[in-house]
Amino acid sequence: MSCLTGVRSNSVRGREKESDALRALVDRARVGAGGCLLLLGGPGAGKTTLLDLAAAYAAPGAPGEPGFLVLRTQGVAGETHLPYAGLHALLGPIADRLDTPAADTRVLAEALRTGADAGGLALPAALLRLLRAAGRPVLVCADDLQRLDAPSREAICFVARRVGTIPVAVLLACAEPGTAPDGLPPLPLVPLDERASRQVLDDLVPDGLPGDLRTALVRSARGNPLALAELAGALTDEHRKGTAPPPQTPPRGGRLWRAHADRLRGLPADTADLVTLIAADPGIDAVTLTRAAEARSGLVALEAAEAAGVVVESPDGGFDLADPLLRHVAYAEASLARRRAAHRLLAGLLGDVSGDVSGDVSGDDSGDDSGGERRRLRRAWHRAAALDGPAGELAEDLVRALAEMPKTTTAAFPEPFRVLERAAELTENGETKAARLAAAAQHAWRAGQPQRARSLLARIDTLTAGAEVRGRAELLRGSLELRAGKTDSACDTLLAAAERLLRTDREQAVRALVRAGEASYLAGDNRRFLTIARRAETLRRPDDAHLTRMALEYLGGMAATFRGRHREATASLRRVATGVMAPSSAGSPSALVWGGVANLLLGNGAAALTLTSRAVEVARAHGAVASMPQMLEILIQAQQWMGRYDAVAANAMDGLRLAQETGRAVSGAQHLAWLAFAAAVEGDEETCALRAARAVELAAAHGVSVAEALGTLALAHLDVAANRHADAVNRLRVVARTGDPLVVRVMATPLLVESTVRTGEVAQARDALVVLERWADSTRDPDRLALAARCHALLASPDEAGERFAQALELHRQGSCAFETARTRLLYGGMLRRSRRPGAAREHLHGALETFERYGARLWSAHARAELRAAGESVRPSGSRSEAGRLLTAQQFMIATLVAEGATNREVAARLFISPRTVEHHLRNIFARLGVRSRVELARLLP
């Protein structure tokens, strides 16, 4: 498994903790204090790779430092019945030492020559004495311990329990927890986390993979390193192009497949039949399984599978195979006749509820009244899999059963897109087949599987389909292009879809126009957005459905906003903001998002927050994973509006994770930009610069000017906080050239005014202030009006500035953004101090400092302290952190706290969405600032 290693600093991807444990084991043995570790992990978890790593650690180190005698053996299924076969392999490198008359060596030599098991302690004790007398440290490695012959396994484990005071390290690896020996310290190998899995894939495919294909492979591998290697090796050009669905399992006949198949072959026949049933219906409830087992030897047959770790019981009482790959292998290794028999039996049981008092054999007690519908869907699925009837009838049953499922049901099996795909496969009519494939693709996309959606759409191209099906397929294809960051082609595809759909489905046609408008907005092409809005305006009809009217009003209000006609925009946006509260809109995440955006443009942050929070809840309830990153973008915007930067950071991290999982580059760029903005508020320059650079890079690669503008704006905020006003002005000019939308412009204007006042370039600031003031006047939002008043105060003469600042503070009191209130108080306090009114200045400066410290805004807090000192007040360090914590930036303090709690660099990086190298860089600075030299000292220093 050399493909796994990607070794850096003598460690293995995602196995830093384990690597450290192995190094410590070897280092202790090198100085005479031996020990043992038992690696526990299923097939492909990386046990052999870690044994190789331990052997590398055992090589000679510093000059004069002795290398280890490394002795290795591995269990082999074909030799399990041969006594001492494992010891024969282990002692091969020192076989010549057994040709002596000493009693110990005679015992070992005789056992290896005859294979006779004399029993007792003589042989294990002889092995221990032989290793102790090696003359240098010894590393004993035994792989696949569960397959070693019993006498060899017992002798090696005997030694492993008794090496604490001699220079012998014993490292064992076992794939089956049920066969692991007692009394040895275990080191379980948990699945790799997502970040490590992605890094392994990057090592395996240096040229890179499409984002959604990469995500699909990570999901399919489930943290198994060998699965990642075999999945990557199985990729074809069709997989890379998206015309074939991503492989869900490593190739049949590969190492991982064979390992799982070997586990299954040892099961009794009745047990194997039950395992096939469970593989055919993952999560099967106990009632159905019990009734299925009655025809055999009852559930007692399942005990062998549970003892072998093949079958597990879930918390809700269902049964499944221990690993999804094991499930695939169990199903595929069964003969076609056995699989069809299993499906036919399950369909019969799910259709016959006579044996179940409750009338619901699904075992579902969720209280959502979907148990009957879920049972009917499972029954239809099993009938279709067994081909138990005419193909057309089976297809209709599948579609009908899926349509009866409540929208809020997110049952894992069978997945809706698979149900519709199977229905399409059973359908002869080309038009109907194409419609079902299009619906399957839509469900796959919603479930966060864009690669699967693309492959389903590709199958439609070869079929006869009418304008409506083609239009729906193009709408989805354009949506996929949009979320992948192909804004220009997405806009073209979505406009074509709208024209196709106008004759048959006006609601979907208008939705296609809305998404085309979104594509042009994200690309910063306001002119094209206005063209789209004009086209939408011609489509209005008195009899339009409610959601169609809301979509058209939304486009109209956005277009008026882009033209600067804010009063005209207000009327349309208010109709959207109120219209989406109607019952017919309340269940539509898209409509709720439109309402959230409308409220943002109306300056109503609280209402925007309410609606977008509701949109996220509805999307989550519907299992619409693909739409979550975009909805979180709008939620974050509302939180930023209200100064809730802690929530901004938390939701942006969540959004970034979801965007990466679903291959949504556009959302990924925007969430990175918001993370950069949150870091800028905290004054964490390094993190802000890294995240902003990545956001701008992604945005530029995909033509997403909004994310590019937000990333640049974050850097400008940081420049202002650090008194680099000339740099801020230059960045804000770049933002203006990106075709920045109104929201970005409103955020940028206060920073631009403040910086140009310092640099003496106020002409551009006055022009920008006109835009801000015109929009703020149209919304009457006190927070935005306060920002406009603050800008006027900065541009005003000394005699007028005080009145303007006072007006701004009065408006702030009516608003909700405490952070911007503190910024105004800081600027006002500075003006009062320069006007020789230190007493009045200190009141505002103290208030600003208190707020900045609450936000953890290090640079802004430093400004407030500097102003207070200039106003004649001695300022003591304050805040909730320890003295050590106050020496660190907010990001450094968070990293230091996680490290002090025992997190590794990679775990910290995963928590904070930064690279391990960045964590390492921060730690060096943390150690230098605090004067510590180790993680132990850091843990002692922090509270």
Side-chain angles (χ1 to χ4, degrees):
M1 269 190 38
S2 59
C3 55
L4 161 69
T5 55
V7 175
R8 295 183 180 179
S9 303
N10 291 327
S11 65
V12 181
R13 296 287 195 193
R15 298 289 187 221
E16 286 74 21
K17 271 188 174 179
E18 293 85 351
S19 300
D20 290 345
L22 297 189
R23 182 180 285 281
L25 176 71
V26 171
D27 287 346
R28 287 194 301 270
R30 199 186 297 275
V31 296
C36 172
L37 282 175
L38 175 62
L39 301 179
L40 294 175
K47 300 181 297 298
T48 303
T49 298
L50 289 170
L51 293 178
D52 292 341
L53 184 62
Y57 288 155
E65 188 176 70
F68 278 60
L69 169 62
V70 178
L71 303 176
R72 300 187 68 162
T73 188
Q74 182 173 10
V76 179
E79 296 182 357
T80 302
H81 66 289
L82 297 177
Y84 299 114
L87 271 185
H88 187 275
L90 182 75
L91 300 178
I94 56 172
D96 57 321
R97 302 186 189 183
L98 302 181
D99 296 330
T100 66
D104 286 344
T105 56
R106 282 204 310 272
V107 170
L108 289 167
E110 183 67 15
L112 297 183
R113 185 177 65 81
T114 65
D117 183 3
L121 294 177
L123 188 140
L127 177 61
L128 179 61
R129 285 191 290 270
L130 178 69
L131 298 178
R132 178 188 290 143
R136 55 178 169 147
V138 180
L139 173 64
V140 174
C141 295
D143 203 356
D144 289 328
L145 193 67
Q146 75 281 358
R147 292 181 178 173
L148 278 181
D149 60 279
S152 294
R153 183 171 62 247
E154 290 167 4
I156 292 171
C157 290
F158 176 91
V159 169
R161 297 185 185 100
R162 290 164 175 81
V163 294
T165 59
I166 61 175
V168 177
V170 181
L171 186 59
L172 311 176
C174 185
E176 297 172 12
T179 62
D182 297 329
L184 299 176
L187 184 60
L189 302 186
V190 298
L192 300 181
D193 62 26
E194 184 179 322
R195 181 184 289 270
S197 295
R198 290 175 181 274
Q199 289 172 333
V200 170
L201 271 182
D202 291 343
D203 292 337
L204 293 164
V205 191
D207 295 339
L209 294 171
D212 49 7
L213 177 57
R214 188 167 171 243
T215 297
L217 296 187
V218 168
R219 182 188 294 120
S220 295
R222 295 178 180 267
N224 186 292
L226 181 56
L228 287 166
E230 293 190 341
L231 286 166
L235 292 177
T236 64
D237 289 341
E238 286 72 25
H239 291 131
R240 293 172 183 270
K241 294 173 185 175
T243 54
Q248 290 187 293
T249 64
R252 192 165 185 167
R255 283 175 55 197
L256 202 49
W257 188 285
R258 292 198 309 270
H260 284 307
D262 287 346
R263 293 178 68 188
L264 294 167
R265 285 193 193 99
L267 298 176
D270 284 350
T271 303
D273 285 341
L274 288 180
V275 167
T276 302
L277 280 171
I278 296 171
D281 193 343
I284 185 172
D285 57 279
V287 174
T288 305
L289 185 61
T290 300
R291 296 176 65 202
E294 287 173 356
R296 295 171 175 78
S297 54
L299 279 183
V300 68
L302 200 61
E303 291 178 0
E306 291 180 306
V310 170
V311 170
V312 294
E313 185 175 2
S314 59
D316 62 2
F319 289 86
D320 200 352
L321 279 294
D323 181 280
L325 175 58
L326 185 60
R327 182 197 310 142
H328 286 293
V329 174
Y331 187 79
E333 288 289 314
S335 67
L336 177 61
R338 282 181 60 199
R339 293 200 299 265
R340 290 186 65 181
H343 286 296
R344 193 174 291 113
L345 173 60
L346 288 165
L349 291 171
L350 291 166
D352 175 17
V353 298
S354 59
D356 179 37
V357 176
S358 69
D360 178 9
V361 300
S362 70
D364 177 62
D365 59 356
S366 61
D368 63 1
D369 298 324
S370 64
E373 292 87 349
R374 195 172 296 171
R375 183 177 66 250
R376 284 192 287 275
L377 179 59
R378 288 166 60 204
R379 179 176 184 272
W381 173 264
H382 290 302
R383 286 194 66 218
L387 293 175
D388 190 19
E393 175 190 316
L394 296 174
E396 291 296 332
D397 280 352
L398 282 169
V399 173
R400 184 166 48 251
L402 182 62
E404 292 173 356
M405 289 290 289
K407 286 186 177 181
T408 55
T409 299
T410 56
F413 176 83
E415 295 157 292
F417 76 85
R418 295 189 193 280
V419 171
L420 290 164
E421 183 180 14
R422 180 61 177 152
E425 291 166 353
L426 294 168
T427 302
E428 290 188 9
N429 179 273
E431 176 79 15
T432 307
K433 181 189 287 284
R436 286 170 177 171
L437 285 172
Q442 180 75 22
H443 278 285
W445 180 59
R446 286 178 181 167
Q449 299 198 38
Q451 185 84 2
R452 169 74 66 168
R454 287 193 188 91
S455 70
L456 290 165
L457 289 175
R459 289 161 64 179
I460 297 175
D461 295 338
T462 62
L463 299 173
T464 301
E468 181 174 359
V469 173
R470 295 283 180 198
R472 285 177 176 271
E474 288 301 293
L475 171 55
L476 179 54
R477 188 173 280 118
S479 299
L480 286 163
E481 291 173 350
L482 172 59
R483 302 311 173 205
K486 302 174 183 177
T487 50
D488 288 339
S489 63
C491 192
D492 293 338
T493 303
L494 289 164
L495 289 173
E499 295 304 320
R500 282 184 185 271
L501 288 166
L502 272 173
R503 293 184 295 275
T504 56
D505 192 334
R506 279 176 51 78
E507 182 177 338
Q508 291 300 312
V510 171
R511 185 158 296 206
L513 287 176
V514 171
R515 288 192 184 155
E518 183 186 347
S520 61
Y521 163 80
L522 290 170
D525 191 346
N526 289 351
R527 184 174 299 176
R528 193 172 196 186
F529 185 97
L530 296 176
T531 301
I532 293 168
R534 282 194 293 271
R535 172 66 176 130
E537 190 63 29
T538 66
L539 303 180
R540 287 182 183 267
R541 288 197 327 211
D543 61 342
D544 276 332
H546 178 72
L547 280 177
T548 302
R549 287 202 309 274
M550 290 300 97
L552 293 171
E553 290 284 8
Y554 175 73
L555 279 173
M558 293 285 286
T561 299
F562 289 163
R563 292 190 184 103
R565 301 174 183 173
H566 298 301
R567 297 194 184 283
E568 176 186 333
T570 297
S572 290
L573 294 173
R574 282 183 178 155
R575 283 192 286 272
V576 174
T578 56
V580 299
M581 303 300 292
S584 54
S585 302
S588 167
S590 295
L592 292 168
V593 167
W594 300 337
V597 174
N599 275 296
L600 280 175
L601 294 176
L602 291 169
N604 192 342
L609 188 60
T610 299
L611 286 175
T612 50
S613 297
R614 175 61 181 155
V616 170
E617 291 172 7
V618 172
R620 186 174 283 119
H622 289 182
V625 180
S627 59
M628 293 280 290
Q630 180 201 12
M631 293 175 187
L632 286 170
E633 291 169 28
I634 311 302
L635 177 64
I636 288 166
Q637 178 70 73
Q639 290 166 335
Q640 187 276 337
W641 218 245
M642 302 176 73
R644 299 182 181 182
Y645 298 119
D646 54 345
V648 166
N651 282 313
M653 282 189 176
D654 196 22
L656 178 61
R657 176 183 58 79
L658 289 169
Q660 290 173 336
E661 288 178 358
T662 55
R664 300 186 65 162
V666 171
S667 280
Q670 296 219 55
H671 287 300
L672 277 167
W674 284 120
L675 284 169
F677 195 88
V681 169
E682 290 184 344
D684 188 341
E685 300 202 44
E686 290 174 298
T687 302
C688 176
L690 285 167
R691 288 172 172 167
R694 181 59 180 147
V696 170
E697 178 187 357
L698 265 176
H702 295 286
V704 187
S705 69
V706 173
E708 186 175 358
L710 282 172
T712 307
L713 184 63
L715 294 171
H717 182 109
L718 191 66
D719 286 333
V720 174
N723 277 323
R724 297 189 294 262
H725 293 286
D727 290 342
V729 170
N730 290 333
R731 291 192 200 279
L732 293 167
R733 284 174 179 157
V734 171
V735 171
R737 288 197 296 271
T738 62
D740 57 315
L742 176 67
V743 170
V744 177
R745 198 176 312 167
V746 167
M747 292 171 61
T749 297
L751 296 172
L752 180 64
V753 170
E754 185 173 345
S755 293
T756 55
V757 165
R758 302 293 181 89
T759 61
E761 308 168 73
V762 296
Q764 184 180 355
R766 292 186 190 279
D767 292 340
L769 180 54
V770 170
V771 175
L772 169 62
E773 191 165 34
R774 186 185 301 148
W775 174 74
D777 282 341
S778 72
T779 66
R780 305 311 300 168
D781 171 37
D783 283 312
R784 293 332 110 185
L785 288 169
L787 292 180
R790 183 173 86 199
C791 290
H792 276 296
L794 290 169
L795 293 168
S797 64
D799 293 338
E800 186 186 353
E803 182 180 343
R804 290 284 195 172
F805 272 123
Q807 178 189 3
L809 288 174
E810 179 55 36
L811 288 164
H812 276 308
R813 290 187 188 97
Q814 301 169 36
S816 59
C817 188
F819 184 83
E820 289 300 338
T821 303
R823 294 261 289 111
T824 300
R825 298 190 78 177
L826 175 62
L827 290 166
Y828 188 21
M831 189 217 77
L832 290 170
R833 177 189 61 77
R834 291 188 296 275
S835 301
R836 301 178 184 275
R837 298 173 59 191
R842 287 195 289 269
E843 177 187 350
H844 292 291
L845 294 172
H846 274 299
L849 176 59
E850 181 182 340
T851 300
F852 291 144
E853 288 189 332
R854 192 167 66 248
Y855 276 87
R858 183 178 63 88
L859 293 178
W860 292 114
S861 296
H863 273 311
R865 289 195 189 92
E867 285 288 353
L868 280 166
R869 283 193 292 270
E873 182 159 328
S874 177
V875 184
R876 294 181 302 167
S878 60
S880 60
R881 298 183 189 174
S882 66
E883 190 64 34
R886 284 194 289 271
L887 296 172
L888 307 175
T889 68
Q891 183 81 348
Q892 287 173 339
F893 184 71
M894 192 179 302
I895 290 171
T897 301
L898 291 171
V899 168
E901 291 171 354
T904 65
N905 287 7
R906 193 166 299 280
E907 288 169 338
V908 173
R911 288 272 300 274
L912 302 182
F913 282 95
I914 55 181
S915 71
R917 185 174 296 178
T918 301
V919 175
E920 185 177 339
H921 175 72
H922 276 305
L923 273 178
R924 284 198 298 269
N925 291 336
I926 290 166
F927 283 11
R929 288 190 180 195
L930 300 183
V932 298
R933 292 181 295 177
S934 71
R935 293 170 180 252
V936 174
E937 291 183 20
L938 179 63
R940 290 172 181 161
L941 189 62
L942 291 180

